Amino acid sequence: MKKSRKTTLSDLSKALNLNISTISRALNDHPKVNETTKKLIKEKAKELDYRPNPLAQGLQKQNTKTIGVIFPTFDTNFFFRVLKGIEKMMHESGYQIIISTAGESRIQEKKAIQSLSSYHVSGIIVFLSFEHEDPSFLIDIQDEGIPLLFMDRIYEEIDANYVISDDFVGMYDTVNQFISKGTKNIIHLQGNLQISTAFNRLLGYKEALLKNKISLNPDFIIPCQHQTEVKTGLRNLFSKYALEDIDLITCYNDYYAFQALEFLKENNIRIPQDIQLLGFANEPLSVYTSPKLSTINQPAEEMGVIASEMILQEIQHNQQGESYQFLTKKMSTFYLKRESTLL
Amino acid sequence: MKKSRKTTLSDLSKALNLNISTISRALNDHPKVNETTKKLIKEKAKELDYRPNPLAQGLQKQNTKTIGVIFPTFDTNFFFRVLKGIEKMMHESGYQIIISTAGESRIQEKKAIQSLSSYHVSGIIVFLSFEHEDPSFLIDIQDEGIPLLFMDRIYEEIDANYVISDDFVGMYDTVNQFISKGTKNIIHLQGNLQISTAFNRLLGYKEALLKNKISLNPDFIIPCQHQTEVKTGLRNLFSKYALEDIDLITCYNDYYAFQALEFLKENNIRIPQDIQLLGFANEPLSVYTSPKLSTINQPAEEMGVIASEMILQEIQHNQQGESYQFLTKKMSTFYLKRESTLL
DNA sequence: CTGTTAGCGCCTTCAG
DNA sequence: CTGAAGGCGCTAACAG
């Protein structure tokens, strides 16, 4: 039950009768170290299973090879897939990932980000869910030299890298396509508009109607703060409208669509014959429903990869003192027909 | 564009003309500090937005308030739910979470754990996926004073906390119950036996047959390394057996069951009238299939919570130099009838 | 109650 | 090419 300590540089230094700084240099492949001693040191290091202490390194260099990631919650699979992409890239580049979820309030969100910054992470990939009236705390973090990359949401005030999926275009194009093929009465199950993705998807829906000169029926936009409200919303709708009045239901996301699917099935409404149903996000489970859910694909994992590449780029540039030009990368979405739609 | 530095203790010290250690003590609520100066210091700290540097603290105290979590992969929703539980508890207790995925080889797995240990995390919650012939590296980490808690898998050689779901009993009880109600011919879609959960679920199946004196038909155990092999396996089975020869298909997990579901539907086999189907794990998506999947529930989020509580306990005991008695907590599973089974 | 000092493990000048 | 010394930010032991 020996509480063994990790071997440190000074352990090596003693073991080899060399100065600690020589050891340090050798291990960092400093050019001005004798090749033979370097080899000697490295061997000894391996023998004693030396592993540098990232805390000490971080304290010294003000930079740990660690990337922070902030999620609003672990609720949807989408984040999971993004994370997988991030994970892959970062580990390839030798970075650790430290994850924090922001919880349910903007105060917690702020705290989570600040806590990450105090860990001297090399950069933070941020999914923000709340509207921050005063985003200056984000700018403060950038000023401390920590690159921020925002996912899926744009802040006009903040100069940074952005990776977003094209929510607007995805919805717009798809609805447009349905209309042009004769679909008339289209519902939208709208998400929480505080969240920009919900806002943009709704916007895509509206614009597509507008473009086709279809007047907006307010009853056809059903606001749901959460997927649990979907069924009630639909019940209301159908208390006022007949089955024939509705052709297609579009949704803020796949989870909303799953709820709608259940509702329709419970009421013996056939999909897609009676009503078509369209999700958004292409969650992996959407292939398992029956009928299989048609949806709009979002390249989640790829978004993670791209985000990682971008923030790594920025980090590198900063380290070398070069200037860096921020980018906004829009990931394209596309309509994925399965069984819950006809077209 | 000022590259502002974070405010440190010595900044406060200068600003207030007080010794740095007084500042430190005041901020840590050390009893022997004058209440007025303490108040003064805290106000100044807030004013300058002082936040302690966890790297420095960690270096000093050999203990960061951080918990490492190792996952084999981000593939299944189960981990996600466990993570949610961990997340909740840890943030309540003021711990950060640092996540690492182990990747596809035992070498990477080892590296991931060691890397976490070098971060001086306060503890590590470990999902191991591979068989390690020489688990001494795990013991080394324990010797360094870092508590390890293993999830969902037991290592006889390693003294530690364990949280596992009762795979054996879950499968055993359920199959037993089906048999006692007259179900005869039961298939098991077996997972990769390297993984102990797969092994235990298979074992539960076998023992249930044994207990009821049903002889084991080797054709009825279909080994699948991965869910992608399920359909082929079933195709083979049905090339040899008729529909009437099979009453129930049990599965290593829900994903296997989803594949089986697809296969059965593709072949116009009715569920549950012709064949019943039983999953394992109660993945959230299992309610969205049709028919809805009957499964064996695993309390994923709760497992995360319990694991967190246990490792936090151990950490606390260690810090106070008390002795600590390791526990093995078995989370109970239960049969959850939905629509894909009759009983 | 407060100040002084040393050190956690590492890197980086500056000398030699 | 190698050694000595200082410091990153913080805490803890020892004085006063």
Side-chain angles (χ1 to χ4, degrees), chain A residues 209-238:
Chain A
L209 297 194
L210 198 68
K211 190 211 162 194
N212 289 279
K213 303 201 169 49
I214 298 178
S215 67
L216 215 93
N217 179 345
D219 287 343
F220 281 12
I221 295 180
I222 305 176
C224 306
Q225 295 303 302
H226 190 78
Q227 43 175 293
T228 46
E229 297 173 18
V230 164
K231 288 189 182 183
T232 328
L234 288 176
R235 213 172 346 263
N236 285 342
L237 179 75
F238 284 108

Short mmCIF file of all heavy atoms in Angstrom, two decimals, chain A residues 209-238:
data_model
loop_
_atom_site.label_atom_id
_atom_site.label_comp_id
_atom_site.label_asym_id
_atom_site.label_seq_id
_atom_site.Cartn_x
_atom_site.Cartn_y
_atom_site.Cartn_z
N LEU A 209 -42.96 30.05 -46.97
CA LEU A 209 -44.37 30.34 -47.24
C LEU A 209 -44.48 31.67 -47.99
O LEU A 209 -45.15 31.78 -49.01
CB LEU A 209 -45.18 30.41 -45.95
CG LEU A 209 -45.29 29.15 -45.09
CD1 LEU A 209 -46.38 29.32 -44.05
CD2 LEU A 209 -45.57 27.93 -45.93
N LEU A 210 -43.79 32.65 -47.42
CA LEU A 210 -43.82 33.99 -47.99
C LEU A 210 -43.43 33.98 -49.45
O LEU A 210 -44.10 34.56 -50.31
CB LEU A 210 -42.84 34.87 -47.19
CG LEU A 210 -43.02 36.37 -47.32
CD1 LEU A 210 -44.32 36.80 -46.66
CD2 LEU A 210 -41.83 37.09 -46.68
N LYS A 211 -42.35 33.33 -49.72
CA LYS A 211 -41.83 33.30 -51.08
C LYS A 211 -42.87 32.71 -52.03
O LYS A 211 -42.99 33.11 -53.18
CB LYS A 211 -40.55 32.45 -51.13
CG LYS A 211 -39.83 32.57 -52.46
CD LYS A 211 -39.09 31.32 -52.86
CE LYS A 211 -38.79 31.37 -54.35
NZ LYS A 211 -38.38 30.08 -54.85
N ASN A 212 -43.63 31.77 -51.54
CA ASN A 212 -44.64 31.13 -52.38
C ASN A 212 -46.01 31.79 -52.22
O ASN A 212 -47.02 31.24 -52.62
CB ASN A 212 -44.73 29.64 -52.03
CG ASN A 212 -43.50 28.88 -52.49
OD1 ASN A 212 -43.38 28.52 -53.65
ND2 ASN A 212 -42.55 28.67 -51.57
N LYS A 213 -45.98 32.94 -51.64
CA LYS A 213 -47.19 33.74 -51.48
C LYS A 213 -48.31 32.99 -50.76
O LYS A 213 -49.49 33.12 -51.08
CB LYS A 213 -47.69 34.23 -52.84
CG LYS A 213 -46.65 35.03 -53.60
CD LYS A 213 -47.28 35.92 -54.65
CE LYS A 213 -46.29 36.92 -55.21
NZ LYS A 213 -44.99 36.30 -55.63
N ILE A 214 -47.93 32.17 -49.83
CA ILE A 214 -48.93 31.51 -49.00
C ILE A 214 -49.08 32.33 -47.74
O ILE A 214 -48.09 32.65 -47.07
CB ILE A 214 -48.48 30.08 -48.64
CG1 ILE A 214 -48.34 29.25 -49.90
CG2 ILE A 214 -49.48 29.44 -47.67
CD1 ILE A 214 -47.87 27.85 -49.65
N SER A 215 -50.29 32.71 -47.44
CA SER A 215 -50.45 33.56 -46.27
C SER A 215 -50.32 32.71 -45.00
O SER A 215 -50.69 31.55 -44.96
CB SER A 215 -51.81 34.26 -46.29
OG SER A 215 -52.82 33.29 -46.14
N LEU A 216 -49.76 33.34 -44.02
CA LEU A 216 -49.42 32.63 -42.79
C LEU A 216 -50.65 32.47 -41.91
O LEU A 216 -51.25 33.46 -41.49
CB LEU A 216 -48.39 33.47 -42.04
CG LEU A 216 -47.35 32.67 -41.28
CD1 LEU A 216 -46.15 32.46 -42.17
CD2 LEU A 216 -46.96 33.40 -40.02
N ASN A 217 -51.01 31.24 -41.61
CA ASN A 217 -52.09 31.00 -40.66
C ASN A 217 -51.47 30.86 -39.27
O ASN A 217 -50.74 29.90 -39.00
CB ASN A 217 -52.82 29.71 -41.04
CG ASN A 217 -53.94 29.39 -40.08
OD1 ASN A 217 -54.00 29.94 -38.98
ND2 ASN A 217 -54.82 28.48 -40.50
N PRO A 218 -51.74 31.78 -38.39
CA PRO A 218 -51.09 31.74 -37.06
C PRO A 218 -51.38 30.44 -36.31
O PRO A 218 -50.55 29.98 -35.51
CB PRO A 218 -51.68 32.93 -36.31
CG PRO A 218 -52.71 33.53 -37.20
CD PRO A 218 -52.63 32.95 -38.55
N ASP A 219 -52.52 29.84 -36.55
CA ASP A 219 -52.82 28.57 -35.90
C ASP A 219 -51.83 27.48 -36.30
O ASP A 219 -51.69 26.47 -35.61
CB ASP A 219 -54.22 28.08 -36.27
CG ASP A 219 -55.30 28.92 -35.60
OD1 ASP A 219 -54.96 29.62 -34.63
OD2 ASP A 219 -56.44 28.86 -36.04
N PHE A 220 -51.22 27.68 -37.43
CA PHE A 220 -50.35 26.62 -37.95
C PHE A 220 -48.95 26.67 -37.36
O PHE A 220 -48.12 25.80 -37.62
CB PHE A 220 -50.28 26.72 -39.48
CG PHE A 220 -51.48 26.13 -40.16
CD1 PHE A 220 -52.61 25.78 -39.44
CD2 PHE A 220 -51.48 25.88 -41.54
CE1 PHE A 220 -53.73 25.22 -40.06
CE2 PHE A 220 -52.58 25.32 -42.16
CZ PHE A 220 -53.71 24.99 -41.42
N ILE A 221 -48.68 27.69 -36.62
CA ILE A 221 -47.40 27.72 -35.90
C ILE A 221 -47.69 27.41 -34.44
O ILE A 221 -48.37 28.18 -33.76
CB ILE A 221 -46.73 29.09 -36.03
CG1 ILE A 221 -46.36 29.32 -37.50
CG2 ILE A 221 -45.48 29.15 -35.15
CD1 ILE A 221 -45.69 30.64 -37.75
N ILE A 222 -47.21 26.29 -34.00
CA ILE A 222 -47.53 25.85 -32.64
C ILE A 222 -46.30 25.99 -31.76
O ILE A 222 -45.34 25.25 -31.91
CB ILE A 222 -48.00 24.38 -32.65
CG1 ILE A 222 -49.18 24.24 -33.62
CG2 ILE A 222 -48.36 23.92 -31.25
CD1 ILE A 222 -49.67 22.82 -33.78
N PRO A 223 -46.33 26.93 -30.86
CA PRO A 223 -45.16 27.14 -30.02
C PRO A 223 -45.09 26.12 -28.89
O PRO A 223 -46.06 25.89 -28.19
CB PRO A 223 -45.40 28.54 -29.44
CG PRO A 223 -46.85 28.79 -29.57
CD PRO A 223 -47.43 27.84 -30.55
N CYS A 224 -43.94 25.52 -28.77
CA CYS A 224 -43.74 24.55 -27.68
C CYS A 224 -42.39 24.86 -27.04
O CYS A 224 -41.37 24.83 -27.72
CB CYS A 224 -43.69 23.12 -28.21
SG CYS A 224 -45.11 22.64 -29.21
N GLN A 225 -42.39 25.13 -25.79
CA GLN A 225 -41.13 25.38 -25.11
C GLN A 225 -40.33 24.12 -24.98
O GLN A 225 -39.11 24.14 -24.91
CB GLN A 225 -41.40 25.94 -23.70
CG GLN A 225 -42.06 27.29 -23.68
CD GLN A 225 -41.27 28.31 -24.43
OE1 GLN A 225 -40.11 28.55 -24.11
NE2 GLN A 225 -41.86 28.91 -25.46
N HIS A 226 -41.05 23.02 -24.98
CA HIS A 226 -40.39 21.74 -24.76
C HIS A 226 -41.18 20.66 -25.48
O HIS A 226 -42.36 20.82 -25.75
CB HIS A 226 -40.34 21.45 -23.26
CG HIS A 226 -39.48 20.28 -22.90
ND1 HIS A 226 -38.12 20.37 -22.87
CD2 HIS A 226 -39.79 19.00 -22.60
CE1 HIS A 226 -37.61 19.19 -22.55
NE2 HIS A 226 -38.61 18.34 -22.38
N GLN A 227 -40.50 19.58 -25.76
CA GLN A 227 -41.18 18.50 -26.50
C GLN A 227 -42.41 17.97 -25.78
O GLN A 227 -43.32 17.43 -26.41
CB GLN A 227 -40.21 17.36 -26.77
CG GLN A 227 -39.34 17.00 -25.57
CD GLN A 227 -38.49 15.78 -25.84
OE1 GLN A 227 -39.00 14.67 -25.98
NE2 GLN A 227 -37.20 15.98 -25.91
N THR A 228 -42.42 18.14 -24.46
CA THR A 228 -43.57 17.64 -23.71
C THR A 228 -44.85 18.41 -24.04
O THR A 228 -45.94 17.96 -23.71
CB THR A 228 -43.30 17.77 -22.20
OG1 THR A 228 -42.79 19.07 -21.94
CG2 THR A 228 -42.32 16.72 -21.75
N GLU A 229 -44.68 19.56 -24.67
CA GLU A 229 -45.87 20.36 -24.97
C GLU A 229 -46.45 20.05 -26.34
O GLU A 229 -47.49 20.60 -26.72
CB GLU A 229 -45.53 21.85 -24.89
CG GLU A 229 -45.09 22.28 -23.50
CD GLU A 229 -44.60 23.72 -23.46
OE1 GLU A 229 -44.91 24.49 -24.40
OE2 GLU A 229 -43.89 24.06 -22.50
N VAL A 230 -45.77 19.18 -27.07
CA VAL A 230 -46.16 18.93 -28.45
C VAL A 230 -47.57 18.34 -28.55
O VAL A 230 -48.41 18.80 -29.32
CB VAL A 230 -45.14 18.00 -29.14
CG1 VAL A 230 -45.71 17.42 -30.42
CG2 VAL A 230 -43.85 18.77 -29.42
N LYS A 231 -47.82 17.34 -27.73
CA LYS A 231 -49.09 16.65 -27.86
C LYS A 231 -50.27 17.57 -27.56
O LYS A 231 -51.27 17.57 -28.26
CB LYS A 231 -49.13 15.42 -26.94
CG LYS A 231 -48.23 14.30 -27.44
CD LYS A 231 -48.44 13.02 -26.65
CE LYS A 231 -47.49 11.93 -27.15
NZ LYS A 231 -47.71 10.65 -26.46
N THR A 232 -50.12 18.37 -26.50
CA THR A 232 -51.18 19.32 -26.18
C THR A 232 -51.40 20.27 -27.35
O THR A 232 -52.55 20.56 -27.73
CB THR A 232 -50.78 20.16 -24.96
OG1 THR A 232 -49.97 19.37 -24.10
CG2 THR A 232 -51.99 20.66 -24.21
N GLY A 233 -50.31 20.73 -27.90
CA GLY A 233 -50.40 21.65 -29.02
C GLY A 233 -51.17 21.04 -30.18
O GLY A 233 -52.04 21.68 -30.78
N LEU A 234 -50.86 19.79 -30.45
CA LEU A 234 -51.53 19.13 -31.57
C LEU A 234 -53.01 18.88 -31.26
O LEU A 234 -53.87 18.99 -32.12
CB LEU A 234 -50.82 17.82 -31.91
CG LEU A 234 -49.46 17.98 -32.58
CD1 LEU A 234 -48.79 16.64 -32.80
CD2 LEU A 234 -49.61 18.71 -33.92
N ARG A 235 -53.26 18.54 -30.01
CA ARG A 235 -54.65 18.31 -29.62
C ARG A 235 -55.48 19.58 -29.88
O ARG A 235 -56.55 19.52 -30.47
CB ARG A 235 -54.71 17.92 -28.14
CG ARG A 235 -55.85 16.96 -27.83
CD ARG A 235 -55.86 16.39 -26.41
NE ARG A 235 -54.66 16.55 -25.61
CZ ARG A 235 -53.72 15.61 -25.49
NH1 ARG A 235 -53.84 14.44 -26.10
NH2 ARG A 235 -52.66 15.84 -24.74
N ASN A 236 -54.91 20.70 -29.47
CA ASN A 236 -55.58 21.97 -29.75
C ASN A 236 -55.83 22.17 -31.24
O ASN A 236 -56.92 22.52 -31.66
CB ASN A 236 -54.73 23.14 -29.24
CG ASN A 236 -54.80 23.25 -27.73
OD1 ASN A 236 -55.71 22.69 -27.12
ND2 ASN A 236 -53.84 23.94 -27.15
N LEU A 237 -54.80 21.93 -31.98
CA LEU A 237 -54.90 22.11 -33.43
C LEU A 237 -56.06 21.31 -34.00
O LEU A 237 -56.90 21.81 -34.75
CB LEU A 237 -53.59 21.68 -34.09
CG LEU A 237 -53.55 21.80 -35.61
CD1 LEU A 237 -53.40 23.25 -36.03
CD2 LEU A 237 -52.42 20.97 -36.20
N PHE A 238 -56.10 20.04 -33.61
CA PHE A 238 -57.10 19.15 -34.21
C PHE A 238 -58.50 19.35 -33.62
O PHE A 238 -59.47 18.83 -34.13
CB PHE A 238 -56.66 17.69 -34.10
CG PHE A 238 -55.59 17.35 -35.09
CD1 PHE A 238 -54.28 17.14 -34.68
CD2 PHE A 238 -55.89 17.28 -36.45
CE1 PHE A 238 -53.30 16.84 -35.60
CE2 PHE A 238 -54.91 16.98 -37.37
CZ PHE A 238 -53.60 16.76 -36.95
#
